[in-house]
Structures are given as C-alpha cells and as structure tokens.
Amino acid sequence: MQVDSFMAAAIAEAKAGLAEGGIPIGAVLVQHGQIIARGRNKRVQEHNPILHGEMDCLFNAGRVGSYKNTVIYSTLMPCYMCAGTIVQFKIPKVIVGESKTFSGARAFMEAHGVEVIDLNDATCIDMMEGFIQQSPELWNEDIGEL
Amino acid sequence: MQVDSFMAAAIAEAKAGLAEGGIPIGAVLVQHGQIIARGRNKRVQEHNPILHGEMDCLFNAGRVGSYKNTVIYSTLMPCYMCAGTIVQFKIPKVIVGESKTFSGARAFMEAHGVEVIDLNDATCIDMMEGFIQQSPELWNEDIGEL
C-alpha cells in the first residue's frame, strides 16, 4: 500500500537517526506519488536546533517552488515550528505516525486548512516512548520544555 | 541606545544578504543584553528554503538550552515558520523592524504569550519595499505565495 511505504520511509529515517545517537523522528516529502526528499531530526548529529525531521526534509527538498501538490509524512505530530512551516509554505496535507507521545500543533494546522491524518502507528509510538524514557532531557530540549 | 544597536545589527545582516544577492531580512538573538547569534535569510545563497533570517540566527546560536532569557530581533515581522519556532522554543520577546510590507504572524505569537514590539523603522521598510518591487517572484517564493 502506497501510504504505508511512505510512512515506512519516514520510519527508516527515524531509525537511522536513533542509530546515530539522535532523536528518532523522520519525515519524507511526497509529490505526485514520489518521495522527493527525506529527512530526520539532527539536533544531536549536527548540533542544530532547527533541524527537526520535517525541517531537515524540507531543507533537503531544496527550492521546490509551490508545495501545493505535496504531502509531508512524519513519524510524529509536528510541533509549532514544523507546523508553522507547513502552514506558511501551504503544504496541504500531513500524515503522521502518531501523536500519543506528543500532541503537537494539530489544531493549529487544521485551523489553517491543512488536512492532518494520524495513523496511530504502533511502531512509531514504541520508538518514541522508548526514546523519551531513555533521554527525557534531550527530548525536553528538542521541544523547548527546558 | 541598546535596542537600536541590536536592530542595527539585524539591519547589517539584512544588508549583507542583499549584497550577496539574497533576500534582505536579518535577525539577532540577544541574551542577558548581549548578541549571542546573528543570521540572515539564505534562500538564495544556500538554496535553503528554511533559512529565513530568524531561523538562520537560531541555527547559528546552536543548542542554547532554555530561551527564556532571550529576545529575538528581526528586521521583518516573522512568518508562521519563524513564529512557530519562537512559540515552540518559548522565546518570550520579539522586536521587529517593521510589518508594513508583510504582516506576518503577530496575532499567533501574541496568542501564545509572546511579547511583540514593532519599531515601524523607515530603514527596514525602505529596504523591503525596494526588494519586493525588484524581485516580486523571489519574495513570493520565500513566503509560500507561489
């Protein structure tokens, strides 16, 4: 199933980040049914506070022009930084792995007309629950809760 | 006057960006009365859609821990990407050069408790008016209006 393969690619990014000692959140940008960019949280790896998974993915996509035919997949519900970027760049649709471990900015995106689908995926939930339990300070730093 | 010197530093970043062929928006992050990072829009220079002036500044600041004692100065009212970042990282205060050429996400930031001060500065207004007149397509790309 196409949706699953895109989320699987985002999960693969998250797992690669975890293997690097990073925060396990991944994203892919899809346009016309094809993945055009992949990204993962790089706070730890690149000492970069703005590279959440979605932001790294949009950076890797480069200057794509209009985002009107794109869908962004993320293993986790976007925070306000990533949600604000999605709203500003008019990405019409967001598919997330889960929002159980972080409720994020769903209402804000929906208020701006973004369609948000939450897959409530067990793999994504397990991955984040494990990470937050092991590295609560790093997680709190990543979402500005210090 | 201290406020003026910080905005002057943000304007210097914006002018440096313009001289590089970029979009003239600059920012500085101030903590305990000192500039700890500077940044400018690098969409053109680095082919990077997420490096608005404020984002480049926060990238350059690195992992600062809590932002609770910081103030961000920007030559222009933040868009939703930058505003979302300010809200997520709990930067309590934003001082902008102007919002005449771009109204941005002031209400969103204020709704989340961020103090926003607009200096309505003629230098900042002139700089952006000139740029938008000369490069309307680049400006529309930068704010997702394609």
Side-chain angles (χ1 to χ4, degrees):
Chain A
M1 202 173 89
Q2 222 177 17
V3 167
D4 282 1
S5 75
F6 297 145
M7 185 53 70
I11 292 170
E13 286 292 316
K15 287 184 173 173
L18 191 64
E20 292 164 345
I23 299 168
I25 305 169
V28 300
L29 187 67
V30 172
Q31 189 176 44
H32 304 306
Q34 301 276 343
I35 293 176
I36 62 166
R38 299 161 196 260
R40 56 183 179 263
N41 189 301
K42 290 182 178 157
R43 173 177 291 272
V44 173
Q45 298 94 314
E46 298 189 3
H47 207 75
N48 187 336
I50 66 167
L51 282 187
H52 280 192
E54 300 90 327
M55 303 300 282
D56 185 48
C57 178
L58 292 171
F59 161 58
N60 288 330
R63 292 168 64 182
V64 302
S66 171
Y67 294 83
K68 70 181 174 186
N69 293 311
T70 65
V71 180
I72 193 163
Y73 287 72
S74 175
T75 56
L76 185 65
M77 186 66 76
C79 77
Y80 277 110
M81 171 170 66
C82 300
T85 306
I86 287 162
V87 166
Q88 189 65 47
F89 291 166
K90 298 187 170 58
I91 295 174
K93 188 169 179 176
V94 179
I95 299 179
V96 306
E98 61 112 352
S99 61
K100 185 183 173 196
T101 66
F102 179 68
S103 58
R106 178 175 191 153
F108 163 73
M109 290 188 285
E110 288 179 335
H112 285 271
V114 179
E115 181 185 357
V116 181
I117 296 171
D118 183 351
L119 301 180
N120 194 30
D121 177 79
T123 301
C124 293
I125 294 170
D126 289 350
M127 188 164 58
M128 276 308 288
E129 282 183 343
F131 170 73
I132 293 170
Q133 194 170 17
Q134 285 208 320
S135 305
E137 287 185 15
L138 181 53
W139 175 235
N140 285 334
E141 179 190 341
D142 200 53
I143 54 173
E145 294 290 347
L146 293 179
Chain B
M1 201 172 88
Q2 225 177 13
V3 167
D4 282 359
S5 75
F6 296 147
M7 186 52 70
I11 293 170
E13 286 292 318
K15 287 183 173 172
L18 191 63
E20 292 164 346
I23 299 167
I25 305 169
V28 300
L29 187 66
V30 173
Q31 189 176 44
H32 305 306
Q34 302 276 344
I35 293 175
I36 61 167
R38 300 161 195 260
R40 56 181 178 264
N41 189 302
K42 289 182 179 157
R43 173 177 291 272
V44 174
Q45 300 93 313
E46 299 189 3
H47 207 73
N48 187 334
I50 67 167
L51 282 186
H52 280 192
E54 301 91 327
M55 302 300 283
D56 186 48
C57 179
L58 293 170
F59 161 58
N60 289 329
R63 292 169 63 182
V64 303
S66 171
Y67 293 84
K68 70 180 174 186
N69 294 309
T70 64
V71 180
I72 193 163
Y73 288 72
S74 175
T75 56
L76 184 65
M77 185 66 76
C79 77
Y80 277 109
M81 171 170 67
C82 300
T85 307
I86 287 162
V87 165
Q88 189 66 46
F89 291 167
K90 299 188 170 56
I91 296 173
K93 188 170 179 176
V94 180
I95 299 179
V96 305
E98 61 110 354
S99 61
K100 185 183 173 196
T101 65
F102 179 68
S103 58
R106 178 176 191 151
F108 164 71
M109 290 188 284
E110 288 179 334
H112 285 269
V114 179
E115 181 185 357
V116 182
I117 296 171
D118 183 351
L119 301 179
N120 194 30
D121 178 79
T123 300
C124 292
I125 294 169
D126 289 349
M127 189 164 57
M128 277 308 288
E129 283 183 342
F131 170 73
I132 292 169
Q133 193 169 19
Q134 285 209 318
S135 304
E137 286 185 17
L138 182 53
W139 176 233
N140 285 335
E141 179 189 340
D142 201 52
I143 54 173
E145 295 289 349
L146 292 179

